Amino acid sequence: MTKKLSSLPYILDQTNWGTVKQEKYEMAILPWGATEPHNYHLPYATDTIQAKEIAVGAAAIAWQDGVKTMVLPAIPLGLQNPGQLDLPFCLNTRLSTQKVILEDILMSLQKQGIKRLVIINSHGGNDFKSLVRDFQTQFNDFFIGVIDWFKIVGCDEFFDEPGDHAGEMETSLIQYLHPDLVTVEEAGDGRSIGFKLNSLKKGVVWTPRNWAKISSDTGVGNPKMATSEKGEKCFKFLIQSIANALREIASVNPDDLY
Ligand SMILES: [Zn+2]
């Protein structure tokens, strides 16, 4: 008897063991977001929604090209800046916690013979590079890749003022992906101030920004010019770029990158 495949065999949240059992998966994608205020008009889950939807969109394209990839459940736990982490229900998650979560996922995949993991990160406060470097000795036959989607060159070209946090880019994306969760008319202007010290302004020295001191509405970036159309263009650009990357990664063995 041939069993009908679930229509979305690349989204773990929505698929079942019957489907998974029939497939030979070669890669996992881990969307990683945060839970934090995003001005007055976007949901706390903004980063998590973006990571998940971008992962699913890219996996859908890659799947059609024969890349057997699975989008894992999104992790909604980010590392927060001072001034943001004091706000109610902002869920600060220490790097040491993130490391344990990632390690457990890698250990599961390792047992199951899936040796490629790509993290799709949405949150500027998350920095997985050091963790991945640290894991190279423990998981030396793995490909572990990190995509900070907001750093992909070209993704901000669809906007007048992309912004940094709850600005035009993020607002447009959520308007496109989840219009029911956006109330732009309630948005603050996302105005922010920078450091007063030149060395910090110029990036000679880095220190985390105190969110409560730089912004009065938690936003950094003006959302007023956001539209769903801009969000759609950006989203489609991102998922195609990432799908191309997934196809490339799947095409070689993890130890054959050079
Ligand atoms: Zn965000």
Side-chain angles (χ1 to χ4, degrees):
M1 191 183 90
T2 51
K3 193 167 177 298
K4 206 168 140 271
L5 278 180
S6 154
S7 58
L8 298 172
Y10 49 85
I11 307 176
L12 192 56
D13 282 342
Q14 295 175 28
T15 196
N16 57 44
W17 169 228
T19 299
V20 169
K21 201 175 166 186
Q22 290 186 60
E23 294 291 349
K24 179 100 185 75
Y25 290 91
E26 53 197 346
M27 189 187 314
I29 305 178
L30 182 62
W32 206 310
T35 302
E36 57 174 348
H38 272 78
N39 200 326
Y40 297 116
H41 65 294
L42 290 180
Y44 270 59
T46 292
D47 290 5
T48 310
I49 292 169
Q50 289 169 148
K52 174 74 186 285
E53 296 291 342
I54 290 168
V56 165
I61 298 171
W63 187 272
Q64 283 178 341
D65 294 340
V67 182
K68 300 288 183 181
T69 187
M70 179 63 92
V71 177
L72 304 179
I75 311 287
L77 301 170
L79 196 53
Q80 297 297 335
N81 276 47
Q84 182 80 309
L85 57 82
D86 308 324
L87 300 176
F89 307 116
C90 181
L91 302 181
N92 182 48
T93 307
R94 289 168 292 169
L95 188 66
S96 51
T97 310
Q98 294 185 324
K99 185 175 185 185
V100 171
I101 294 170
L102 188 54
E103 185 176 25
D104 281 351
I105 291 170
L106 286 165
M107 284 167 72
S108 298
L109 295 175
Q110 189 172 48
K111 263 189 192 312
Q112 299 149 11
I114 296 163
K115 296 292 178 66
R116 298 177 185 89
L117 176 72
V118 176
I119 300 167
I120 297 188
N121 174 45
S122 256
H123 176 65
N126 292 341
D127 185 357
F128 295 109
K129 283 190 201 163
S130 302
L131 293 186
V132 170
R133 231 178 240 120
D134 218 7
F135 281 138
Q136 287 305 300
T137 44
Q138 195 178 341
F139 300 98
N140 58 2
D141 56 346
F142 251 88
F143 176 88
I144 312 170
V146 181
I147 297 175
D148 292 320
W149 66 256
F150 47 91
K151 291 183 186 164
I152 294 178
V153 174
C155 79
D156 56 357
E157 284 175 7
F158 307 97
F159 308 98
D160 295 278
E161 287 177 55
D164 183 353
H165 180 73
E168 188 182 319
M169 181 159 73
E170 284 202 297
T171 303
S172 298
L173 281 167
I174 300 296
Q175 281 176 318
Y176 173 61
L177 297 168
H178 260 289
D180 52 316
L181 298 177
V182 191
T183 47
V184 180
E185 57 286 358
E186 287 167 22
D189 59 16
R191 199 184 308 254
S192 65
I193 58 167
F195 288 112
K196 64 181 179 190
L197 304 186
N198 262 331
S199 50
L200 289 166
K201 258 194 243 178
K202 291 187 173 161
V204 177
V205 180
W206 178 88
T207 193
R209 291 172 290 178
N210 183 310
W211 233 255
K213 292 198 173 149
I214 63 164
S215 166
S216 59
D217 52 30
T218 82
V220 176
N222 188 352
K224 293 290 189 241
M225 302 274 279
T227 67
S228 170
E229 290 70 29
K230 290 178 182 175
E232 180 177 9
K233 283 184 194 153
C234 175
F235 180 74
K236 289 187 171 160
F237 166 81
L238 285 169
I239 61 173
Q240 189 61 60
S241 310
I242 294 172
N244 295 344
L246 299 178
R247 196 170 44 231
E248 269 197 336
I249 293 162
S251 71
V252 296
N253 286 322
D255 60 356
D256 193 22
L257 298 177
Y258 310 96

